[in-house]
Amino acid sequence: MHLAQLLASAMHRRHLSVEALALATGIRTPRIKAFLEDGTDGPVHPTAQELKELADTLALPAESMTQDAHHGLAAAGQRS
């Protein structure tokens, strides 16, 4: 599952808006919106700390978020 899908699904399950997730994690709202829209395919890439914050807040396994992000970044590097 891509990062964008993983975030959207977890946010829906926990009834969290982008703004609520931003408040809970300390990650700026525009960055979270970018992760939801583009996942790791867009110009804004999540940092390791941001992935950890998102995983902790959404009760997701950090390993799955990190793996997905690394796969997405590797694919983006191959397209360049």
Side-chain angles (χ1 to χ4, degrees):
M1 186 179 291
H2 294 286
L3 179 63
Q5 295 169 326
L6 189 63
L7 286 176
S9 176
M11 287 173 64
H12 179 74
R13 278 194 313 272
R14 296 176 96 42
H15 305 285
L16 287 174
S17 67
V18 172
E19 292 79 10
L21 185 57
L23 184 62
T25 60
I27 301 170
R28 292 183 21 206
T29 302
R31 289 187 64 79
I32 294 174
K33 286 181 179 178
F35 303 156
L36 282 168
E37 291 174 12
D38 301 327
T40 55
D41 295 332
V44 178
H45 302 289
T47 65
Q49 182 63 35
E50 288 171 331
L51 290 172
K52 181 183 179 322
E53 290 289 332
L54 291 167
D56 290 347
T57 302
L58 296 171
L60 296 170
E63 300 83 31
S64 68
M65 296 208 38
T66 305
Q67 287 174 352
D68 182 68
H70 288 299
H71 289 300
L73 292 174
Q78 290 175 355
R79 283 182 265 152
S80 299

